[in-house]
Amino acid sequence: MLPVLDGVVMELQDCALPLLREVIPTDKEEVAFKDLDAAILVGSMPRREGMERKDLLKANVAIFKSQGAALEKYAKKTVKVLVVGNPANTNCLIAAKSAPSIPKENFSCLTRLDHNRARSQVAMRCGVPATQVKNVIIWGNHSSTQYPDVHHCKVNMAGSDLACFDAVKDDDWLKGAFISTVQQRGAAVIAARKLSSAMSAAKAICDHMRDIWSGTPEGEFVSMGVYSSSNSYSVAEDLIYSFPVHIKDKQWKIVDGLAINDFSRGKMDATAAELVEERDTAVTFLSA
Amino acid sequence: MLPVLDGVVMELQDCALPLLREVIPTDKEEVAFKDLDAAILVGSMPRREGMERKDLLKANVAIFKSQGAALEKYAKKTVKVLVVGNPANTNCLIAAKSAPSIPKENFSCLTRLDHNRARSQVAMRCGVPATQVKNVIIWGNHSSTQYPDVHHCKVNMAGSDLACFDAVKDDDWLKGAFISTVQQRGAAVIAARKLSSAMSAAKAICDHMRDIWSGTPEGEFVSMGVYSSSNSYSVAEDLIYSFPVHIKDKQWKIVDGLAINDFSRGKMDATAAELVEERDTAVTFLSA
């Protein structure tokens, strides 16, 4: 893949970007991870036909154990690590566990694409731009068990912020097709394009990293998979679980005190259960 | 291709872009071209192995005659048309000729990617970001006969603007490998990636359209293929030829009065000769 990587370098150079200083293409961990401030881990083993979940986890544990160890050895201790490669939450957890001297808070996984999808679905339904929809939440795993939650979402219509349910005026859709559309969107894009999401995933990565660096606006929150360590929202500890977060001074903080009804509780627990199972399988390969 | 196009629409929606209002995917000219303010014509017939230049031109004349006629019939008369599909200059000329009620000045073809490549090559050589290199020029055809000219280019180093030749301090490179690198860059990207330039072409399209809408900074110019009608720089008339232009109030104006030495003159004439030949072949198919 190195010659192809050279082509990507040429593409970057040819963009004549104002902030790009240098590109170092390499397949050597000691070069790639040296003194990093930010790492975006996009490569993973995709699920192939006939592959069992266990085999998929085993292959990815090998990759993210190695990348975690390389971060531990070469990166700055302040490095911010974003895991994109699927299964992103569990891969992120494995990377974090394999880099014990880097704070677990420095690791996150991408659920911003799901977050943006949820925003845009609501926006189209209301006939407003996506930026007039705020505070959607993606809870849990970046998988089809994720729970896109609009109970705290506001839609700006005609100058005022409405509760999402009041703006959309279709509870059945919000509790049904909206949720499954966001959960299944990745598969729908692949079915149409015959290729995975590319531009929208890149946009979500930029949004995620920009917010880590520059913070979230007052009164707004975004979704990201972060380390669950304090039983927030009764989510099991030692998972990478997607929560609503505020970010300030490059530190995220889970938005607390949001009311959770029974409908939401059940879905938040179901995606947590999937993550516990993934973790418990993955860690057996970690110690192997 | 319509199902694939639906996938692209999903990607755009999932970006949750602040300025995107609506996307209308269609294969119907009367829908696609209706009341357009801006048109970016990216589709063309690529050259296939064993295809002669004449056959390539014939296939593309059919496409751009039809798209020009659709612009004539459905678009606003103020529409700004950017042709990207190759051979871009001649395709652009055919589209303009096929839309007689739209001013020829509203048509341009993309040489901004070549312009950005030239900027970035000089910038890397000088160890500065691409944005510190200004006023490179791409003359002529968006093909391997194009002439990337740095005789009027300035490089900002350590706070002062240096002439490019003084900044680079390697005349042989600037008059040799630099030129051929820019001319052959598209082929080099394909050789490495096994795919055409994508991101860098998209970036160049955005740069081009933004400059048409918002203008160029004072004292800077950019390259674009525009209609040659006034014998500027002794270039034959009735060609789409890439010139250095200033843009203000959505109108481009060729930067005049730049000194042209014999070295440049020869290369500017060679690429013009290629365009004359392309045009003369293409128009025979136009009247057919």
Side-chain angles (χ1 to χ4, degrees), chain A residues 64-76:
Chain A
F64 287 87
K65 184 181 174 179
S66 159
Q67 300 206 337
L71 286 163
E72 174 79 7
K73 193 163 175 189
Y74 300 112
K76 292 186 188 168

Side-chain angles (χ1 to χ4, degrees), chain A residues 3-4 7 10-18 21 116-117 120 124 129-131 185 188 192-193 197-200 203, chain B residues 3-4 7 10-18 21 116-117 120 124 129-131 185 188 192-193 197-200 203:
Chain A
V4 176
M10 284 190 249
E11 282 269 78
L12 284 167
Q13 291 167 343
D14 293 356
C15 284
L17 297 162
R21 290 295 174 275
N116 285 347
R117 286 166 171 166
S120 134
M124 286 190 286
T131 39
R185 185 72 161 182
R193 296 209 322 139
S197 304
M199 178 172 54
S200 60
K203 165 67 162 51
Chain B
V4 176
M10 284 190 251
E11 281 269 78
L12 284 166
Q13 291 168 343
D14 293 356
C15 284
L17 297 161
R21 290 295 174 274
N116 285 346
R117 286 165 172 167
S120 133
M124 286 190 287
T131 39
R185 185 72 162 181
R193 294 210 324 139
S197 305
M199 179 172 53
S200 59
K203 165 67 163 53

Side-chain angles (χ1 to χ4, degrees), chain A residues 75-93:
Chain A
K76 292 186 188 168
K77 299 305 172 194
T78 53
V79 65
K80 303 293 184 185
V81 182
L82 168 59
V83 175
V84 177
N86 285 319
N89 298 54
T90 299
N91 289 344
C92 183
L93 184 67

Side-chain angles (χ1 to χ4, degrees), chain B residues 1-281:
Chain B
M1 292 304 286
L2 280 176
V4 176
L5 189 58
D6 286 337
V8 176
V9 172
M10 284 190 251
E11 281 269 78
L12 284 166
Q13 291 168 343
D14 293 356
C15 284
L17 297 161
L19 299 177
L20 188 68
R21 290 295 174 274
E22 196 184 357
V23 188
I24 303 170
T26 181
D27 61 351
K28 295 187 176 50
E29 286 186 338
E30 65 272 25
V31 178
F33 288 87
K34 180 76 181 155
D35 293 334
L36 281 190
D37 290 299
I40 303 172
L41 307 182
V42 295
S44 67
M45 172 71 74
R47 192 160 197 162
R48 298 228 171 77
E49 209 162 337
M51 194 184 232
E52 286 191 36
R53 188 165 192 84
K54 206 177 144 183
D55 298 327
L56 179 74
L57 284 167
K58 186 176 183 179
N60 279 297
V61 167
I63 295 170
F64 287 87
K65 183 181 175 178
S66 159
Q67 301 208 336
L71 286 164
E72 174 78 7
K73 193 163 174 189
Y74 301 113
K76 292 186 187 170
K77 298 305 172 195
T78 53
V79 66
K80 304 294 185 185
V81 182
L82 168 60
V83 175
V84 178
N86 285 318
N89 299 53
T90 299
N91 289 344
C92 183
L93 184 67
I94 295 299
K97 285 179 181 293
S98 306
S101 75
I102 298 171
K104 297 240 177 327
E105 291 66 31
N106 294 17
F107 288 80
S108 57
C109 86
L110 191 75
T111 55
R112 186 61 168 266
L113 177 51
D114 312 294
H115 181 99
N116 285 346
R117 286 165 172 167
R119 256 183 124 162
S120 133
Q121 289 296 317
V122 169
M124 286 190 287
R125 196 80 178 191
C126 296
V128 301
T131 39
Q132 284 175 232
V133 176
K134 63 180 182 185
N135 298 354
V136 298
I137 303 170
I138 304 297
W139 297 100
N141 200 359
H142 174 64
S143 76
S144 60
T145 68
Q146 67 176 257
Y147 170 43
D149 176 5
V150 291
H151 287 90
H152 307 281
C153 163
K154 302 279 183 202
V155 183
N156 190 280
M157 291 176 81
S160 33
D161 274 351
L162 299 182
C164 183
F165 281 89
D166 296 334
V168 171
K169 295 190 180 101
D170 187 343
D171 291 17
D172 287 348
W173 181 77
L174 282 173
K175 292 181 167 187
F178 161 74
I179 293 174
S180 56
T181 298
V182 175
Q183 287 173 333
Q184 307 292 337
R185 185 72 162 181
V189 170
I190 292 173
R193 294 210 324 139
K194 318 293 174 209
L195 291 167
S196 288
S197 305
M199 179 172 53
S200 59
K203 165 67 163 53
I205 290 170
C206 293
D207 288 349
H208 181 114
M209 282 308 222
R210 182 201 57 223
D211 284 351
I212 287 185
W213 250 256
S214 306
T216 46
E218 194 61 36
E220 287 191 37
F221 45 81
V222 295
S223 306
M224 45 196 261
V226 295
Y227 192 66
S228 171
S229 63
S230 54
N231 215 236
S232 288
Y233 293 100
S234 307
V235 170
E237 298 188 4
D238 197 32
L239 296 178
I240 298 285
Y241 187 98
S242 181
F243 286 102
V245 300
H246 283 300
I247 305 170
K248 201 179 166 184
D249 301 329
K250 293 192 192 173
Q251 305 290 331
W252 54 263
K253 196 174 164 305
I254 293 172
V255 176
D256 56 21
L258 298 173
I260 304 296
N261 64 19
D262 289 348
F263 179 85
S264 295
R265 186 74 257 162
K267 295 191 180 302
M268 289 162 65
D269 290 347
T271 189
E274 184 185 52
L275 281 170
V276 167
E277 201 191 310
E278 277 187 22
R279 176 196 65 197
D280 292 348
T281 307

